[in-house]
Amino acid sequence: MQETVEINVASAPTVKHSGKTDVGIQRDHNEDFLLVDETIGLFVVCDGMGGHAAGEVASEATAKAVVERIQASSDSLSTFNQTPQKANREQVTALLEDAIEYANRKVFQLAQEDQTRHGMGTTIVLVLVCRHGAFIAHVGDSRIYLHRKNEVHQVTEDHSLVNTLVQKGVLSREDAENHPNANVITRAVGVQEYVEAEVRFLDTEINDRFIICSDGLSDYTSKDDLHTFSTRTDVADLPEKLIKFANARGGKDNITAVVVQVGEDETASPAPDVTATKKINVLKRVPLFQNLDFNQISLLLQVIRVTKYANNEVVVREGEEGDDMYVLLGGEAEVSVNGKLVANLKAGGHFGEMGLIDKAPRSATVTTTSNAVMLVLKRPELFALLRRYPDLGMKLFWSLLKKMNTRLRQSESLIHDVVNAEK
């Protein structure tokens, strides 16, 4: 199936998309299924498994059940589009989790009713485009890539045996690609009574392209390949070209590709200094976050608030308790201790990271010296995120430990100098 459409999702940016699914050159039937709902900006790809046509049943039933469930609660999408507050975003996240679990129950029940379909299941990846960004959700090893500006990022982590071993440091990425169990997945829709979907929100920018695909494509394409094709190819032709490329390299599996390009929302007027790229680039300049990759910083942005401050406004006050960390996105501020100026901060400047450990009195006062925009990270929200993503927590822990060690050494050096001066 090939489709190229330009749509305007209600209260969302203009979206161009095109999709195609192909049997490949080594299979005799197609167990992949793609589904697009233009009215809500939803794009779904499922890759079924189970034999005896069961994979086809699982993938189609899952995609349709997910769309059905989301359509039934589309009011929460409208609410988020109108008011992109954290609580409304969490409602949409919960809706997507519930929709995939609803599909899981349906497929599991279908398998129980027909023994020839026992054990059938499917992967799922989806993108839900909204006015202020996009929600992505997945189960299994089908993937979503994001082509932004001059880079391609894989924004889903495979729920597979080898990827688990890679994350634990047992396998390298290179060894994982040729591992005999490379296609063994650890999560699938419909195989068990319950499945946990991974859902998150991404800020989007004009001309962002999502490439949503089954492993019949990702097994044959690197991020460099996707970058080359996406850079040189229009949305309308990209799925077909990617499928031809995968077939030329072997085509051992069914192949599905859906490309979604986000355009401009003419009714929105976001501040030019609060783009996704700007936030990510500023955060990567902060020592605490320097070792985080694109996905991990994107996860972090889910619990970071963009806050505006007026000129000469006190952000934190010396001696007052606080557990927020601040990163200056735009504007300037000054830091003073006991009324004495000790530092000037510009974009990328940060303060308050020790408050992420405990709610202790602030050691300085920070006051804006111009209108300013800051990224604010609150300790309770950060800890809730780290409980879900312990790998992210480990990276932040080591970065924070390194910073504390540096401060300790500086203190020891200062004490040593004072002692020597007194001799």
Side-chain angles (χ1 to χ4, degrees):
M1 183 177 79
Q2 173 95 30
E3 184 179 20
T4 306
V5 183
E6 182 170 321
I7 62 176
N8 195 292
V9 182
S11 302
T14 301
V15 176
K16 292 181 180 180
H17 73 91
S18 178
K20 185 176 182 180
T21 185
D22 187 82
V23 69
I25 61 176
Q26 296 187 30
R27 298 288 180 92
D28 58 6
H29 66 289
N30 194 347
E31 295 183 319
D32 285 2
F33 191 83
L34 71 88
L35 188 58
V36 173
D37 188 323
E38 299 172 4
T39 63
I40 54 177
L42 181 63
F43 306 86
V44 185
V45 169
C46 294
D47 178 0
M49 57 195 178
H52 301 290
E56 297 170 38
V57 173
S59 60
E60 182 174 354
T62 294
K64 290 182 175 179
V66 165
V67 173
E68 172 193 337
R69 196 71 159 187
I70 295 173
Q71 284 177 335
S73 301
S74 59
D75 287 351
S76 62
L77 303 182
S78 300
T79 301
F80 175 74
N81 280 326
Q82 294 166 9
T83 312
Q85 296 175 345
K86 178 175 179 288
N88 294 336
R89 188 184 71 221
E90 289 176 345
Q91 276 197 331
V92 179
T93 298
L95 169 60
L96 295 180
E97 291 172 340
D98 173 71
I100 292 176
E101 179 53 32
Y102 170 71
N104 184 77
R105 292 194 300 271
K106 275 203 159 188
V107 174
F108 184 79
Q109 184 60 39
L110 286 172
Q112 302 310 303
E113 294 170 355
D114 186 343
Q115 286 302 307
T116 65
R117 294 172 176 169
H118 186 70
M120 73 175 178
T122 182
T123 69
I124 183 171
V125 279
L126 67 83
V127 173
L128 176 64
V129 180
C130 297
R131 181 178 182 184
H132 304 279
F135 291 87
I136 63 173
H138 80 291
V139 174
D141 63 352
S142 293
R143 293 180 180 176
I144 302 172
Y145 295 91
L146 170 63
H147 182 189
R148 172 177 292 165
K149 300 187 185 302
N150 200 38
E151 293 184 289
V152 170
H153 307 278
Q154 181 184 327
V155 293
T156 54
E157 283 283 350
D158 295 352
H159 297 141
S160 66
L161 174 62
V162 294
N163 194 49
T164 300
L165 296 175
V166 168
Q167 291 178 327
K168 290 183 177 180
V170 177
L171 280 180
S172 67
R173 290 282 179 190
E174 294 72 23
D175 291 338
E177 291 179 3
N178 300 312
H179 196 278
N181 294 321
N183 292 321
V184 176
I185 59 176
T186 55
R187 296 188 210 177
V189 175
V191 175
Q192 297 179 329
E193 290 185 82
Y194 173 78
V195 70
E196 181 182 5
E198 197 164 333
V199 182
R200 62 189 179 96
F201 178 78
L202 283 172
D203 291 330
T204 54
E205 296 187 6
I206 296 172
N207 294 326
D208 274 356
R209 276 188 184 182
F210 290 100
I211 301 172
I212 314 164
C213 64
S214 60
D215 64 346
L217 178 66
S218 60
D219 281 351
Y220 290 111
T221 51
S222 65
K223 287 192 289 186
D224 287 341
D225 294 326
L226 294 174
H227 179 269
T228 299
F229 277 100
S230 184
T231 301
R232 300 174 180 176
T233 311
D234 187 73
V235 171
D237 302 320
L238 185 53
E240 184 173 3
K241 287 197 173 184
L242 289 173
I243 287 172
K244 285 182 177 179
F245 181 77
N247 276 329
R249 287 194 163 186
K252 66 179 180 180
D253 202 351
N254 308 143
I255 313 163
T256 300
V258 176
V259 179
V260 181
Q261 180 169 308
V262 180
E264 186 171 7
D265 177 6
E266 296 179 356
T267 66
S269 54
D273 59 347
V274 191
T275 64
T277 297
K278 172 80 172 183
K279 288 188 280 187
I280 290 172
N281 289 342
V282 167
L283 285 176
K284 285 188 72 68
R285 286 155 53 187
V286 178
L288 185 59
F289 308 129
Q290 281 179 347
N291 294 324
L292 302 186
D293 59 27
F294 178 89
N295 277 348
Q296 291 167 329
I297 288 186
S298 297
L299 283 172
L300 201 61
L301 282 172
Q302 293 185 107
V303 295
I304 286 179
R305 303 181 185 186
V306 178
T307 306
K308 295 182 179 180
Y309 294 87
N311 181 30
N312 202 35
E313 183 173 351
V314 175
V315 183
V316 300
R317 194 178 301 276
E318 186 176 354
E320 293 183 352
E321 291 186 348
D323 58 2
D324 300 347
M325 177 183 176
Y326 300 81
V327 181
L328 201 59
L329 191 63
E332 299 182 1
E334 62 181 22
V335 183
S336 59
V337 177
N338 295 326
K340 183 179 180 181
L341 178 66
V342 296
N344 290 300
L345 302 177
K346 296 185 178 182
H350 57 280
F351 54 95
E353 59 264 43
M354 301 310 291
L356 298 178
I357 300 176
D358 58 14
K359 196 170 185 177
R362 300 294 191 183
S363 60
T365 296
V366 180
T367 307
T368 59
T369 54
S370 70
N371 292 336
V373 180
M374 296 193 190
L375 302 177
V376 183
L377 178 58
K378 295 181 174 294
R379 180 164 60 98
E381 295 177 2
L382 173 64
F383 279 26
L385 179 71
L386 299 186
R387 281 193 289 272
R388 293 193 64 185
Y389 299 95
D391 290 344
L392 173 60
M394 185 60 68
K395 276 194 175 182
L396 288 179
F397 168 77
W398 282 112
S399 295
L400 196 57
L401 188 62
K402 184 177 179 180
K403 184 174 183 63
M404 292 175 64
N405 183 57
T406 299
R407 287 191 176 184
L408 181 60
R409 290 185 182 278
Q410 289 173 342
S411 298
E412 289 176 343
S413 177
L414 180 61
I415 293 171
H416 182 268
D417 291 343
V418 171
V419 171
N420 286 340
E422 291 176 348
K423 288 183 178 179

